[in-house]
Amino acid sequence: MVTESVIVGDGPAAWIMALALARHAPTRVTVIAHRSPDDVDPFGPAMVAPPAIRRQHAMLGLAAAEVMACAAPVLGFSFDGPDKESGFAPFGQIGADIGPVAFHQQLARLGHLDALAEYSLAAQAARLGRFAPPSPDPASFLSTLDYGLSLEAEPYAALLRSQAQALGVAVRSGAVTGTQRGADGRVEAVALQDGASVSGDFFIDASGAQGLLTDAPFLPWASLFPLDRVRVEIENARTVPLVHLDFRNGEATLSRTAPLPGRQVRIRLTKDGGGTLFVPGRRQSFWDRNVIAVGAAAHVSPPLGAGALQLIHRAAGHLIALWPASAGGVEEAREFNRLMIAEVEADRDLGLVLIRPSGVTLPDAAAHRVALFESRGRVSRREHEGFTAGFTAAALLASGLRPRRHDPLTDALDLAMLAARADRIRHMAASTAAVLPSCRPVNVQAHDPD
């Protein structure tokens, strides 16, 4: 049995794993609170995640109101590039599908595809800087709204830590200086600067890109994502509050502005030049012998997909579902690595598809996603993808991709009916958004996911 689990790190990555294990796994948990800034990713204090993060918080027993105290709502992504006008990819429902015919295909048949965001309540609300929690009443148009979160790293970690300690997680202070390994290469104990050591059966490396426990080889993605420097800037909140992520894709730069309570955080990614160096890539395996790497210890991806925070929560869920009877867990490790590598690479590929770096040959799966969408607007999705098909279609359109033809299934639908239906949806989105309150901290206690 795995009776002693040891986690190294002191940021959100460490405390997500600690809380998940304390709540769901039959093991004692000790966290070695080794200082680990940027343990989630190197992209500043604003950690963003899609709407699925709220269900994951509920699984950890976190109340929505407590989480929102250190978060800002995110209604979608806006994209702006050097060769195109700004586009918007909203969360929540966009229009309404008709059976197997996606709403964006209906607009393509009508010739209105460029106006897709106008049929989304989230997009209309973001344009006005307005927000309210979704209605639980499916008859209300407000039920079509959904939102992700932009979380502030330090207070979020503190919330997770308090919850984990309340469930009995032990905390050991001290800087990690190395590991003690057995003849088979498994970690047996973690050595601390004061000369002490902490032994265990199972270890989780949440120490950030330094990777203090894992020795799995790192596979860089420099050929896919040439930007390698990041600069973080804290800005005052806008007069019209930012309730979405704002991406600007330049010739050799990428910037993302994310909201936080009372302010916003802009990150600028460049090649060489000023800023902090980061190396995009992933470990060859995330679960290696009796060590699992999570967060930046496992991978660093372009900050455009579901994001590292979402993937840490996914790793926690997979680990609980595959909890091994012994620290060996060979088959469990194989399945964990299959799932996490697929999800990390799918997230990376979506980011690459959206920015399409100049001179970069996309991986086959990413190139297929582009080709399929450009052919007839169809969306290729992966197992456990963090976004809905509607959001992905909107994001591909916002990035500048356009299908050459519409889905032939739309040819069986009456054009006058499609036009009248679309007009009603657009009016409902605009009129509902106009009466929402201006964005401010809201009580979302009653809207925790089931």
Side-chain angles (χ1 to χ4, degrees):
M1 291 289 292
V2 176
T3 59
E4 298 287 346
S5 297
V6 178
I7 301 172
V8 170
D10 195 28
W15 291 109
I16 289 168
M17 301 304 293
L19 182 54
L21 266 58
R23 190 167 289 282
H24 298 295
T27 182
R28 288 186 293 272
V29 182
T30 299
V31 174
I32 301 176
H34 179 101
R35 187 173 180 274
S36 51
D38 300 331
D39 70 320
V40 173
D41 63 32
F43 304 125
M47 306 176 302
V48 298
I53 192 72
R54 298 185 353 258
R55 293 191 296 275
Q56 291 159 340
H57 285 156
M59 290 178 64
L60 293 179
L62 298 174
E66 292 180 308
V67 173
M68 287 302 291
C70 55
V74 172
L75 294 175
F77 297 2
S78 68
F79 297 88
D80 199 358
D83 301 319
K84 68 174 197 65
E85 295 182 358
S86 178
F88 195 88
F91 293 139
Q93 187 173 326
I94 307 171
D97 299 345
I98 299 176
V101 182
F103 185 73
H104 73 276
Q105 297 285 9
Q106 300 169 41
L107 289 190
R109 172 92 189 283
L110 292 168
H112 297 161
L113 196 52
D114 287 346
L116 180 63
E118 295 179 17
Y119 302 85
S120 157
L121 175 56
Q124 295 278 18
R127 179 178 60 84
L128 299 172
R130 297 176 179 270
F131 174 76
S135 170
D137 179 5
S140 167
F141 199 81
L142 188 56
S143 68
T144 68
L145 185 141
D146 206 353
Y147 65 98
L149 294 174
S150 177
L151 291 135
E152 188 167 6
E154 287 191 10
Y156 182 57
L159 172 63
L160 293 162
R161 176 173 178 156
S162 68
Q163 296 281 326
Q165 288 186 274
L167 292 175
V169 170
V171 181
R172 181 69 181 270
S173 299
V176 172
T177 58
T179 58
Q180 299 167 11
R181 293 181 179 265
D184 60 359
R186 295 179 184 276
V187 174
E188 296 179 344
V190 176
L192 304 182
Q193 192 173 44
D194 62 6
S197 63
V198 180
S199 59
D201 307 308
F202 199 71
F203 296 83
I204 295 176
D205 189 343
S207 63
Q210 56 194 324
L212 294 174
L213 303 186
T214 182
D215 61 0
F218 188 81
L219 310 177
W221 294 334
S223 62
L224 296 174
F225 192 70
L227 306 183
D228 62 1
R229 304 277 174 167
V230 58
R231 183 180 298 128
V232 180
E233 304 166 1
I234 309 297
E235 304 175 344
N236 293 327
R238 300 178 182 179
T239 303
V240 177
L242 185 71
V243 284
H244 63 277
L245 302 182
D246 183 14
F247 289 95
R248 298 183 182 271
N249 185 23
E251 292 294 344
T253 63
L254 174 68
S255 73
R256 183 198 74 190
T257 304
L260 283 177
R263 65 193 194 284
Q264 55 197 40
V265 178
R266 182 189 302 273
I267 59 171
R268 298 180 187 274
L269 279 60
T270 59
K271 174 66 176 172
D272 303 320
T276 302
L277 177 68
F278 70 94
V279 181
R282 69 165 176 86
R283 298 285 175 179
Q284 188 174 68
S285 59
F286 297 167
W287 184 337
D288 182 37
R289 289 162 286 187
N290 65 334
V291 175
I292 285 183
V294 297
H299 62 92
V300 175
S301 299
L304 266 166
L309 183 64
Q310 165 81 354
L311 290 165
I312 294 166
H313 280 278
R314 295 290 302 167
H318 291 321
L319 176 56
I320 297 303
L322 294 166
W323 188 254
S326 68
V330 173
E331 294 306 321
E332 290 87 351
R334 183 175 297 154
E335 177 66 1
F336 182 91
N337 285 326
R338 182 190 73 82
L339 291 167
M340 287 307 303
I341 289 170
E343 292 183 32
V344 166
E345 292 194 344
D347 197 57
R348 174 203 68 188
D349 288 355
L350 179 59
L352 291 172
V353 166
L354 295 179
I355 59 176
R356 299 187 291 283
S358 177
V360 169
T361 300
L362 294 177
D364 289 346
H368 167 68
R369 173 169 277 189
V370 171
L372 185 67
F373 191 78
E374 287 185 323
S375 174
R376 288 192 181 271
R378 295 190 171 107
V379 175
S380 173
R381 300 184 72 242
R382 314 279 186 85
E383 182 182 17
H384 302 303
E385 190 159 311
F387 297 117
T388 65
F391 173 87
T392 302
L396 296 175
L397 290 167
S399 77
L401 290 179
R402 292 293 181 274
R404 294 186 294 274
R405 301 171 294 273
H406 61 258
D407 187 334
L409 290 177
T410 63
D411 292 332
L413 301 174
D414 180 73
L415 271 179
M417 179 274 293
L418 287 179
R421 187 171 178 270
D423 283 346
R424 288 195 300 272
I425 293 171
R426 179 165 52 184
H427 172 75
M428 286 295 297
S431 60
T432 304
V435 299
L436 296 181
S438 295
C439 187
R440 62 183 185 277
V442 293
N443 184 356
V444 295
Q445 185 73 40
H447 300 276
D448 283 349
D450 295 331

